[in-house]
Amino acid sequence: MTQFTGAEIFVKSLLKLKTALIFGYPGGVVLPIYDELFKNPQLRHILVRHEQGAVHMADGYARATGKVGVALVTSGPGATNTVTGIATAYMDSIPIVVFTGQVPTALIGNDAFQEADIIGITRPCVKHSYLVRDVKQLAPTIAEAFYIASTGKPGPVLVDIPRDVATNKSTFNFPEKVELRSYKPTKSGHQRQIEKLADALENSKKPVFYVGGGVISANAAGELSKLAKHTHTPVTETLMGLGSFDSSHNLHLGMLGMHGTYRANMAMTDADLVVALGARFDDRVTGKIDEFAPHAKIAQVDVDPTSISKNVKCDIPVVGDLSDVLKKLNVAVKKRKVPWKSKTKEWVQQIDEWRSSNTLAYKTKKNVIKPQFVLEEINKITKGDAIYTTEVGQNQMWAAQYLTLTKPRTFLTSGGLGTMGYGFPAAIGAQAAFPNKIVIDIAGDASIQMNIQELGTAVQQNLPVIIVILNNGFLGMVRQWQQLFYENRYAYSCMEHQPDFVKLAEAYGAFGARVTKPEEVAPAIKKAIKLKKPAIIDCVVEREENVYPMVPAGAPINKMLLA
Amino acid sequence: MRHTISVLVENKFGVLSRVSGLFSGRGFNIESLSVAPTMDTSTSRMTIITRGDDAIVEQITKQLNKLIDVIKVSDFKNEEYVDREIVLVKVNAEPNNRAEILRMTEIFRGKVVDVSPKTYTLEVTGSEGKVNAFIEMIKHLGIIEIARSGKVAISRGRRTLG
Ligand SMILES: Cc1ncc(C[n+]2csc(CCOP(=O)(O)OP(=O)(O)O)c2C)c(N)n1
């Protein structure tokens, strides 16, 4: 049998898995692998500027496509630089595989040059990890890593490859099928539980679907839409669930929780049945947990049994893949002769009433750009046909509240970890997957500086991501909390010195524009789209605008502060 | 509540740290833990004794199940299992207390497994209660050192974990 080096096996395995793209950064111990990449240009590699960027790009690629994102870095500092990216993907259950180089097996544990115990360091934030100690194990391990990352509740998998494993030889023993006795994710939902859930829907007068990122990762948005429309049930989404239901539909409630819409939070508080679909009752969603959905029976569908009843006790648990369960649920509700529409008529009327209070209205000011206005301008330009990413803070919440989202996998944001610096590299990953789409990172002036170096990557690869900075000169969300809960003491939340973002863009070879008046916003963004070049649109916005509604941390979600 | 959790795992390196990490990550103490390969040497059995609120322990057992290398988890309930522990006790063996030591060891159906001019090392096996009682009874004779295995447990009757 032909023998191959570990590096050759690495490339052959990735090609076998139909990997189109690797985001990576070379260094000493991964040079044998990089040499193979050099010889195999059909496996595209994007050179990043910082390993954190590589992992966020792989993550953005994965969120936008549903495929496994791949990053490759060297040992020691290369590996430790990936940790925030891995934790970000872990918290949001994103399928990525991160390959780290490791010092030769004989040196492991010796504090060798550029050695880091990356398996130990990342253990609490990976779905699984492997140290490959024998080249014979390399191909089977890569196959397993992809399988584990992408099945069940998806998540990041780390594969640590010592240098000698990359140079030793073995046959190419890539398994046709991965079978693990200790890992058998539940796919199909239990029929009896599904019928129970259908009964509950039939008997409910005030039902709500509470939708999380699980619906998107299971590609179940289509089934959800059918179900909601057929049963005439309103839908609210978490930050991670945004895009799974058409935001222009009248059953759409928008986001719930801390910065949720008035109607979503009121509906949850008033509901008699809450059906959680791939959502995990995060504290940002539930507010004060004892007063969360106090009148409702709780049903929960999740592929991960550990999510069920974790924070809120669930009356009707269904474990299974959401696309399977929702398909079966659609069949189950269609079998029932229920006048669905009239059953929830009053409920939907009540929701329309809440909606009409329009708590997302904001005060406009002449000659001042309101951050919300920028997002509305973007809606008009893209008509929803774009992929958005966000940074973290006010920019993220306004994006969640104001962007028109009609399709899943078009709103990529760090929900669980809340990682500033996520949005821009994630946008590069999404743009690499969809070179012809408009990809916009909604940014804050602070967050964008956390991974701004990736402008180099975007320009080198000609990936025309548009960064729209809502520039308030503050760590805006921190300032908002300090204003509301710390009596206006703005402790270290003002960025007194900022770079000239236009010059910065230009220095990298990107397009830059600074806008200070409302009427300049749309032309600048249109120009960036037309140029098909990476761009920064630096929008100088109202400095002390707050995100409303807001539920103070720990308060019940119907007790919202309004603008 | 005290829980006896039996976990069947793949016999691979790193498994122990993944399992113990689940406990430590939640600020949970493991009272005792024993690990050894089973008949099928590709698997190991861990017996973990921990204390905690039932809901939290349920969450932990679910999380254990979720670990890729964990094959099966069982949180034993009171009557469903038998458990045993082994203790090795090194005591001062002076001419005036040697007879007493041997008598106690006999009562507890233990054995002397090592002897030196000044010490005896004793072995006793049994339920945790029996082991505790034995230690209590010979304490006054001057214990130098103790090594306890921690409990191992197995379900009663025909039921199996793996
Ligand atoms: C890496 C990281 N560090 C710190 C924080 C805490 N944090 C949350 S929002 C925020 C301010 C963000 O400021 P900016 O990017 O300007 O966005 P704005 O809120 O002004 O829109 C900070 C510091 C975080 N989420 N991530």
Side-chain angles (χ1 to χ4, degrees):
Chain A
M1 285 274 258
T2 329
Q3 300 275 311
F4 299 96
T5 65
E8 287 169 329
I9 290 170
F10 175 86
V11 170
K12 283 170 84 71
S13 300
L14 290 192
L15 289 174
K16 190 119 191 161
L17 289 159
K18 303 204 165 54
T19 302
L21 246 179
I22 301 179
F23 301 93
Y25 205 90
V29 298
V30 285
L31 287 181
I33 292 177
Y34 268 85
D35 198 42
E36 265 322 293
L37 290 175
F38 185 83
K39 295 177 200 156
N40 289 277
Q42 72 275 34
L43 185 52
R44 184 173 173 208
H45 174 280
I46 289 184
L47 175 66
V48 301
R49 297 299 182 269
H50 185 297
E51 290 88 351
Q52 182 187 352
V55 181
H56 289 327
M57 286 178 209
D59 168 317
Y61 175 89
R63 291 190 208 221
T65 61
K67 296 183 200 153
V68 176
V70 179
L72 168 64
V73 304
T74 192
S75 65
T80 54
N81 269 349
T82 64
V83 172
T84 302
I86 294 172
T88 302
Y90 181 73
M91 289 295 274
D92 290 344
S93 306
I94 305 303
I96 59 170
V97 174
V98 176
F99 292 98
T100 51
Q102 184 54 278
V103 301
T105 39
L107 292 181
I108 292 178
N110 279 6
D111 291 337
F113 177 63
Q114 294 197 328
E115 177 180 3
D117 173 12
I118 196 62
I119 298 276
I121 291 170
T122 57
R123 200 185 57 234
C125 61
V126 293
K127 183 170 175 188
H128 199 49
S129 52
Y130 297 89
L131 168 62
V132 186
R133 289 193 300 184
D134 182 346
V135 64
K136 290 194 202 71
Q137 283 306 316
L138 186 57
T141 301
I142 294 175
E144 268 181 38
F146 274 67
Y147 173 68
I148 289 172
S150 58
T151 51
K153 180 174 183 163
V157 177
L158 185 136
V159 181
D160 202 20
I161 307 178
R163 191 194 156 103
D164 53 322
V165 170
T167 51
N168 288 346
K169 288 191 163 183
S170 157
T171 53
F172 183 57
N173 55 344
F174 192 88
E176 286 312 317
K177 196 166 182 287
V178 177
E179 191 80 57
L180 295 167
R181 66 176 161 188
S182 60
Y183 174 72
K184 304 223 180 300
T186 322
K187 274 228 180 86
S188 124
H190 201 293
Q191 193 60 41
R192 205 179 53 222
Q193 291 303 95
I194 292 169
E195 294 295 337
K196 260 196 208 163
L197 178 45
D199 288 342
L201 277 170
E202 174 170 357
N203 295 321
S204 153
K205 291 223 145 46
K206 301 174 176 182
V208 178
F209 288 132
Y210 150 45
V211 173
V215 167
I216 293 177
S217 74
N219 296 317
E223 293 293 333
L224 166 72
S225 173
K226 265 193 234 161
L227 181 67
K229 287 172 190 165
H230 182 78
T231 60
H232 209 55
T233 301
V235 178
T236 179
E237 295 146 319
T238 68
L239 184 64
M240 293 302 299
L242 291 174
S244 49
F245 193 70
D246 182 351
S247 65
S248 58
H249 198 278
N250 80 318
L251 289 170
H252 186 258
L253 297 171
M255 185 169 72
L256 80 166
M258 180 174 277
H259 291 296
T261 64
Y262 182 72
R263 60 183 188 277
N265 286 346
M266 295 306 284
M268 288 302 271
T269 308
D270 220 32
D272 65 3
L273 173 69
V274 167
V275 183
L277 301 172
R280 63 193 174 94
F281 299 85
D282 179 274
D283 52 280
R284 285 287 187 265
V285 158
T286 61
K288 186 173 182 194
I289 201 127
D290 310 328
E291 293 179 38
F292 178 71
H295 312 294
K297 204 178 220 179
I298 307 277
Q300 197 178 353
V301 185
D302 208 293
V303 70
D304 173 15
T306 66
S307 290
I308 291 187
S309 287
K310 183 163 74 179
N311 299 330
V312 169
K313 199 154 164 18
C314 158
D315 305 297
I316 309 171
V318 188
V319 177
D321 179 79
L322 271 147
S323 67
D324 171 82
V325 172
L326 291 185
K327 224 174 259 155
K328 289 178 181 162
L329 192 56
N330 266 320
V331 174
V333 294
K334 288 226 169 90
K335 275 198 317 229
R336 279 153 224 258
K337 303 257 167 305
V338 181
W340 296 103
K341 210 159 191 165
S342 57
K343 185 175 74 73
T344 59
K345 194 167 158 220
E346 276 174 41
W347 179 228
V348 173
Q349 271 167 5
Q350 167 70 71
I351 283 163
D352 285 341
E353 212 168 282
W354 284 325
R355 177 185 285 118
S356 65
S357 69
N358 190 16
T359 50
L360 287 183
Y362 57 90
K363 292 185 198 81
T364 52
K365 229 197 249 172
K366 207 168 153 39
N367 283 332
V368 175
I369 303 176
K370 290 286 183 160
Q372 302 92 329
F373 170 80
V374 176
L375 296 158
E376 289 173 345
E377 291 289 277
I378 291 173
N379 285 335
K380 284 190 210 145
I381 294 168
T382 66
K383 307 206 169 49
D385 189 15
I387 297 174
Y388 301 105
T389 67
T390 78
E391 300 296 339
V392 170
Q394 293 182 313
N395 59 84
Q396 179 182 34
M397 292 301 122
W398 283 317
Q401 292 175 331
Y402 291 89
L403 287 175
T404 307
L405 302 168
T406 54
K407 284 188 280 293
R409 303 194 180 281
T410 58
F411 185 73
L412 321 183
T413 193
S414 169
L417 199 65
T419 308
M420 290 171 69
Y422 168 79
F424 180 39
I428 295 176
Q431 186 85 75
F434 297 104
N436 298 320
K437 281 224 150 168
I438 298 174
V439 179
I440 302 179
D441 172 31
I442 308 296
D445 49 291
S447 297
I448 193 60
Q449 294 184 62
M450 287 213 176
N451 274 318
I452 191 84
Q453 77 286 348
E454 300 306 332
L455 266 175
T457 310
V459 172
Q460 182 176 351
Q461 301 292 334
N462 199 15
L463 296 170
V465 169
I466 301 169
I467 300 168
V468 174
I469 302 178
L470 306 177
N471 190 343
N472 50 23
F474 278 113
L475 309 183
M477 187 57 95
V478 172
R479 185 208 54 74
Q480 174 170 345
W481 283 55
Q482 289 169 333
Q483 180 192 339
L484 297 174
F485 311 116
Y486 294 87
E487 296 166 336
N488 287 309
R489 290 186 298 276
Y490 291 174
Y492 306 104
S493 53
C494 177
M495 278 234 163
E496 274 158 29
H497 183 81
Q498 280 188 339
D500 178 331
F501 286 110
V502 174
K503 279 195 188 144
L504 186 77
E506 287 168 359
Y508 273 104
F511 167 67
R514 180 177 171 91
V515 296
T516 55
K517 296 207 185 67
E519 63 275 16
E520 295 168 351
V521 174
I525 295 172
K526 282 184 188 153
K527 179 157 182 207
I529 293 173
K530 206 153 160 216
L531 281 173
K532 287 207 162 58
K533 236 172 129 164
I536 295 183
I537 310 298
D538 181 17
C539 304
V540 180
V541 299
E542 176 87 286
R543 289 203 72 194
E544 300 194 29
E545 187 76 12
N546 285 343
V547 181
Y548 290 118
M550 176 175 195
V551 180
I557 58 171
N558 62 340
K559 299 279 172 344
M560 287 163 269
L561 307 177
L562 301 173
Chain B
M1 247 291 267
R2 196 134 175 262
H3 292 257
T4 300
I5 302 171
S6 186
V7 191
L8 193 67
V9 299
E10 293 286 351
N11 189 2
K12 291 185 183 159
F13 69 90
V15 176
L16 180 59
S17 63
R18 284 182 215 277
V19 169
S20 62
L22 274 186
F23 287 80
S24 60
R26 288 170 177 70
F28 254 53
N29 195 17
I30 294 179
E31 263 181 39
S32 86
L33 175 140
S34 75
V35 200
T38 65
M39 256 177 8
D40 168 2
T41 51
S42 72
T43 67
S44 288
R45 180 189 295 271
M46 297 186 181
T47 308
I48 301 170
I49 314 298
T50 188
R51 213 179 266 282
D53 180 90
D54 286 354
I56 301 178
V57 174
E58 187 189 331
Q59 182 54 221
I60 289 189
T61 53
K62 281 186 185 173
Q63 297 276 0
L64 281 169
N65 259 315
K66 204 163 130 182
L67 289 179
I68 306 293
D69 286 333
V70 167
I71 300 166
K72 222 159 179 189
V73 182
S74 175
D75 180 4
F76 285 137
K77 305 285 178 316
N78 287 340
E79 301 305 321
E80 290 173 353
Y81 68 103
V82 280
D83 60 37
R84 288 295 178 266
E85 187 174 5
I86 182 168
V87 64
L88 300 173
V89 188
K90 193 176 290 184
V91 292
N92 281 316
E94 306 290 342
N96 63 349
N97 67 7
R98 283 188 186 154
E100 168 82 358
I101 293 172
L102 293 176
R103 207 163 54 80
M104 278 301 160
T105 307
E106 184 126 332
I107 292 174
F108 282 89
R109 298 205 176 87
K111 280 188 279 198
V112 181
V113 292
D114 186 48
V115 189
S116 78
K118 290 236 152 82
T119 64
Y120 281 178
T121 300
L122 317 168
E123 171 200 315
V124 166
T125 310
S127 67
E128 194 184 13
K130 176 177 162 189
V131 169
N132 285 341
F134 175 66
I135 293 168
E136 202 49 44
M137 292 309 289
I138 60 166
K139 227 183 202 163
H140 69 284
L141 300 170
I143 294 176
I144 301 168
E145 200 174 18
I146 279 186
R148 294 176 75 151
S149 64
K151 284 204 281 188
V152 293
I154 199 162
S155 54
R156 287 185 186 275
R158 294 189 47 155
R159 290 159 40 99
T160 59
L161 192 58

